[in-house]
Amino acid sequence: MTNGTGHGENGDRDRSPEEAALSERLGNLDQRLSEFRDRHVKTEQPAGDGEDRAARASAMALGFRLSSELVAGVVVGAGIGWGFDRLLSTSPFGFIVFLLLGFVAGVVNVVRTAGAGQNRRGGS
């Protein structure tokens, strides 16, 4: 160990320029980071934090709507298929067919809704 013992002083003298250079580099890095943070924060905040939150909320609402339309299509298709199987005694076939039809209907609704959202944004 060279910290503060007899012949460690030569090692401390040898390391001193390295430590000084490292300390200087660390100070420069800290200064550059603080300047970058100041520029980044100044350019982000005036843009309108409320507008950013509103955009995120709108996107989240659209995502929930799209996912609920897809799930609703699958659930309604499965329910109709299960009902047909109970009434007609066609065990898994009605359920499978209407489950697939419900999935297709859900995907069509999602594509239609997402397309309408893009047309609205593009038009205004």
Side-chain angles (χ1 to χ4, degrees):
M1 305 280 160
T2 59
N3 292 341
T5 58
H7 67 282
E9 292 177 10
N10 289 339
D12 287 344
R13 287 183 201 151
D14 292 341
R15 279 194 241 159
S16 183
E18 292 175 4
E19 288 178 2
L22 183 61
S23 178
E24 184 180 341
R25 287 176 48 201
L26 186 60
N28 289 339
L29 179 63
D30 187 38
Q31 181 182 3
R32 289 190 332 216
L33 281 174
S34 63
E35 290 172 1
F36 178 76
R37 283 187 199 125
D38 290 343
R39 276 187 276 141
H40 187 64
V41 169
K42 287 178 183 176
T43 57
E44 248 184 38
Q45 285 180 347
D49 195 26
E51 293 174 6
D52 189 34
R53 286 183 184 169
R56 275 191 233 149
S58 176
M60 205 169 205
L62 181 63
F64 279 125
R65 179 179 173 193
L66 294 176
S67 62
S68 66
E69 285 185 5
L70 180 64
V71 169
V74 172
V75 168
V76 168
I80 291 172
W82 180 79
F84 270 110
D85 283 340
R86 296 281 290 186
L87 288 174
L88 303 174
S89 298
T90 57
S91 191
F93 300 111
F95 179 76
I96 292 171
V97 167
F98 279 97
L99 181 73
L100 292 174
L101 287 175
F103 177 74
V104 169
V107 169
V108 167
N109 282 337
V110 166
V111 169
R112 186 181 309 148
T113 303
Q118 286 178 351
N119 288 341
R120 260 193 315 226
R121 287 187 203 128
S124 50

